[in-house]
């Protein structure tokens, strides 16, 4: 149980375009989803927390207009990187939590974004 | 002071030995503690979580929690080369939904 699917696994896009990353909970209802960013050899940096049906809560320093998060259903959250630039290149990882306890913090497989 | 601190390593351990990974946290009200393993280029995978003082064992892994000292550790017995990875300690801060991660310890098991 507690499987989180993230797509795409890799994406290369041109500078100035937008990229959408999907995070789905496959076998549970994710009341809360988290979006992280990770630079090489660094730890996870929480970008935002999204609860189904409400606006995401962004961490300090994260541009909400640049990183659009939508959590429209209990199984799907999306992160859209708008007007991407090379400095947005990173490893983006989602995590989902259901209502069922401490083992519900499950990570997706991550998305490697490269902006050229 | 960082909320969750780990020695970044690298920690080098011979195959078959016990690897000991340590983590301290600053919020005394923290309730739940997680250990994740992350291979290079992959997302973290949960090894185990602990919320009671003492030891919790799962196969070759043992998590140890000491809330008085605000310290949590992970022991890996009979270390294998496949255990070589970065190990992330995470703490669920009291009253929050989110996990706070340490910077991770890079572990290398030498054959």
């Amino acid at each position: 149980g507690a499987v989180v699917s993230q797509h795409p696994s890799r994406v290369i896009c041109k500078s100035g375009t937008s990229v959408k990353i999907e995070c789905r909970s496959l076998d549970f209802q994710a009341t809360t989803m988290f979006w992280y960013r990770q630079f090489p050899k660094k730890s996870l940096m929480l970008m935002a927390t999204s609860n189904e049906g409400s606006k995401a809560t962004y961490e300090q320093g994260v541009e909400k207009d640049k990183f659009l998060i939508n959590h429209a259903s209990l199984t799907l959250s999306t992160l859209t990187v708008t007007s991407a630039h090379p400095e947005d290149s990173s490893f983006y990882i989602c995590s989902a939590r259901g209502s069922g306890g401490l083992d519900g913090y499950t990570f997706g497989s991550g998305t490697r974004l490269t902006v050229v | 002071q960082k909320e969750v601190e780990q020695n970044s390593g690298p920690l080098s351990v011979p195959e078959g030995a016990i690897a000991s990974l340590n983590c301290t946290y600053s919020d005394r009200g923290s309730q739940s503690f997680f250990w994740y393993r992350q291979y290079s280029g992959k997302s973290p995978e949960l090894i185990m979580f602990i919320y009671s003082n003492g030891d919790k064992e799962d196969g070759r892994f043992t998590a140890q929690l000491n809330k008085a000292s605000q310290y949590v550790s992970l022991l890996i017995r009979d270390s294998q080369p496949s255990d070589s990875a970065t190990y992330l300690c995470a703490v669920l801060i009291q009253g929050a939904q989110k996990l706070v991660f340490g910077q991770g310890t890079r572990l290398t098991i030498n054959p």
Side-chain angles (χ1 to χ4, degrees):
Chain A
V3 177
V4 175
S5 173
Q6 187 174 341
H7 292 281
S9 57
R10 288 180 181 274
V11 59
I12 300 173
C13 71
K14 291 186 177 180
S15 190
T17 61
S18 296
V19 173
K20 181 184 284 188
I21 302 170
E22 289 190 350
C23 181
R24 292 181 185 273
S25 56
L26 297 186
D27 52 1
F28 67 102
Q29 293 185 325
T31 51
T32 308
M33 286 189 174
F34 306 88
W35 287 95
Y36 294 87
R37 182 175 182 177
Q38 188 176 35
F39 291 105
K41 300 191 187 300
K42 299 293 184 183
S43 190
L44 299 168
M45 182 192 81
L46 180 66
M47 300 174 66
T49 302
S50 74
N51 291 293
E52 184 265 339
S54 60
K55 289 185 178 180
T57 302
Y58 289 81
E59 295 297 304
Q60 192 173 9
V62 177
E63 299 176 60
K64 60 181 68 176
D65 294 331
K66 181 166 187 62
F67 299 101
L68 301 179
I69 291 171
N70 183 281
H71 192 164
S73 77
L74 283 171
T75 60
L76 174 65
S77 176
T78 60
L79 166 67
T80 301
V81 182
T82 62
S83 187
H85 291 282
E87 57 266 30
D88 298 324
S89 298
S90 191
F91 191 44
Y92 292 88
I93 315 173
C94 71
S95 172
R97 181 188 186 191
S99 56
L102 294 176
D103 59 349
Y105 286 89
T106 305
F107 282 87
S109 55
T111 297
R112 177 78 56 193
L113 170 64
T114 303
V115 184
V116 298
Chain B
Q1 182 187 3
K2 292 181 182 177
E3 291 179 286
V4 181
E5 293 208 52
Q6 296 180 254
N7 187 324
S8 61
L11 176 64
S12 188
V13 172
E15 184 176 357
I18 296 175
S20 178
L21 303 158
N22 305 314
C23 174
T24 58
Y25 58 95
S26 60
D27 183 349
R28 188 167 288 278
S30 300
Q31 297 294 316
S32 308
F33 308 87
F34 300 75
W35 282 101
Y36 287 86
R37 175 175 63 196
Q38 186 176 25
Y39 293 112
S40 181
K42 303 294 184 182
S43 70
E45 53 181 321
L46 180 65
I47 299 174
M48 61 195 306
F49 62 88
I50 186 168
Y51 53 86
S52 297
N53 272 327
D55 295 0
K56 180 180 179 182
E57 187 174 316
D58 184 359
R60 295 187 296 113
F61 299 95
T62 299
Q64 299 176 317
L65 175 61
N66 184 326
K67 290 187 178 180
S69 300
Q70 295 175 241
Y71 176 96
V72 58
S73 65
L74 180 70
L75 301 178
I76 306 174
R77 289 182 300 282
D78 188 23
S79 298
Q80 302 297 310
S82 58
D83 294 326
S84 298
T86 296
Y87 288 80
L88 298 165
C89 170
V91 175
L92 183 61
I93 303 298
Q94 185 181 33
Q97 301 179 83
K98 60 185 181 183
L99 296 180
V100 178
F101 284 84
Q103 68 268 41
T105 299
R106 191 154 54 93
L107 173 67
T108 300
I109 306 300
N110 301 307

